[in-house]
Amino acid sequence: MIYNSRRNRNRSDINNHLLGLFIGEKKQNYYIRKWSKGLNSWNWAAFFFSLFWLGYRKMYNPILLILGIYLVIDLIVTILGIDDTVLNSYLGLAVGVTFGITGNNTYRLYAIKRIRKIMESKPTNPELLHDEIQLRGGPSWKGFFASVGLFSIYILLAMSIFSFVPSINDTVESEVAYDIEFDVIEVLEDNIQALQNEHFDDYMAMVYIDDDQTIYEETVQMVRGIFERFDLAYEISDYEFLSISQNEVKVRVTQTTTLVDGEDFRNNESVFIHTLRPQKGKWKFFDTEVVSVSYLDEDISVQNNVDSLSNEPTYKTLHAPSMFDFIITDEIDLNNDGTLEIVSFNGGPEESSNYMNENVEIKVEFDTGEIFSVPVSAENPPILYLYDINLDGWMELFYETGARITGTDMYQFTPDGLEYVDTFNGAIEKLNAYEVFTNEDYYTLDSYLKVTNH
């Protein structure tokens, strides 16, 4: 018993000595002390730099195993179309914690295994044995950089998987997107055809009807006004899908509109962003944003039945001679129905303040006897412009206050009267279809009078 106990103790002493040679002089006390405490003990280097710590300690097989598992997971999540951002974070943390806890024991088992193999190959020469153990063990910066290289190769392979391996979801989504694109293109073409042939019902059948039908009714008036005033030719020269989902599509369309018959229309190339949404199983126009309007040079000689054509817009202007005590009246066809409405622009007399007139009124009287009015104020002689800026058949009112900080208020006709829409910075310099030029800024509007470039 005494002999066996002494022999086991000697074997343990030899093993610790050999393990120390394998570890290397710098860290042998650290690892032997950790191993003496039990199987598992914490290693901060293994926690923070798991793969690179393995390479530094020449344990390459675990690196290859972990990176192989990573690649398999990347392949699976890519094929299934799963967002692996959170998964990768948890996976990296799990690997770090695992090696932080088990790294020391993993290194012990690796060292024992390597020493046994060396002892089997060189059992008779202790000096060669020790030299071989020191050579095969110890830290290695080459191993560290080898692990960096392996990790870099993994990154390249993972990027290739993400780039070239198709996802089931992507395949399905691309097929759905293709079908949606096809349906929307058909709607765009039918829309142009309805405008071209002036088929009012066909056009309105493609307009989304919201719970609040105000926009729908405004579209009705706009389209009827266009059909009554002009004969136009339309052509889509380009389109680009900006976003596609089963609930909404946004598409940028470049459209050329030219005058065939009528007056006071400028040929133009316009860029719109159409928003379409499904309703009753069909894609319909939900909203349209005017991105830009470019007017085309016109060759008057090639236009039939038109003796002369001016590119300048026609709008009415009522200019008050002073800030107080003025009455300006004009007869204007505001809604293109062939009947002149009476537009009055009145300023009250000077009262307590000579800096502001708060008793200015814009009044419109229709032949039916209906009267619309709106009270405004002025700090200088004000100006009122009337112009159908969105080509819906009804003129809008642009009231320039003449204030020290000049602004121009826009009003539109609604069934309830004159309604304020927006204020533009500066004084009016020019009005074009869907465009307002002031001395301070430039604005583009859509058919619903919404500013689209600010």
Side-chain angles (χ1 to χ4, degrees), residues 306-374:
V306 179
D307 295 330
S308 63
L309 181 63
S310 172
N311 282 339
E312 292 300 319
T314 58
Y315 48 82
K316 298 291 185 178
T317 305
L318 304 182
H319 196 156
S322 64
M323 184 169 58
F324 297 101
D325 200 15
F326 64 85
I327 299 176
I328 303 174
T329 302
D330 200 353
E331 293 185 346
I332 304 171
D333 186 1
L334 295 173
N335 56 359
N336 196 38
D337 62 353
T339 302
L340 299 178
E341 285 72 43
I342 300 174
V343 181
S344 300
F345 189 27
N346 306 325
E350 182 177 344
E351 294 181 347
S352 59
S353 172
N354 59 356
Y355 296 105
M356 176 179 290
N357 187 352
E358 296 182 347
N359 297 314
V360 180
E361 181 184 39
I362 303 169
K363 185 167 64 176
V364 178
E365 182 177 353
F366 294 86
D367 62 339
T368 60
E370 191 174 16
I371 297 176
F372 290 167
S373 65
V374 59

Side-chain angles (χ1 to χ4, degrees), residues 174-188:
S174 62
E175 292 177 355
V176 172
Y178 177 80
D179 293 339
I180 292 175
E181 283 187 15
F182 181 84
D183 293 339
V184 169
I185 291 172
E186 189 174 17
V187 172
L188 294 175

Side-chain angles (χ1 to χ4, degrees), residues 215 287 410 421-422 444-453:
I215 295 178
D287 186 36
M410 178 172 61
V421 179
D422 208 340
T444 59
L445 309 177
D446 63 14
S447 57
Y448 305 117
L449 302 179
K450 294 179 182 178
V451 176
T452 61
N453 65 331

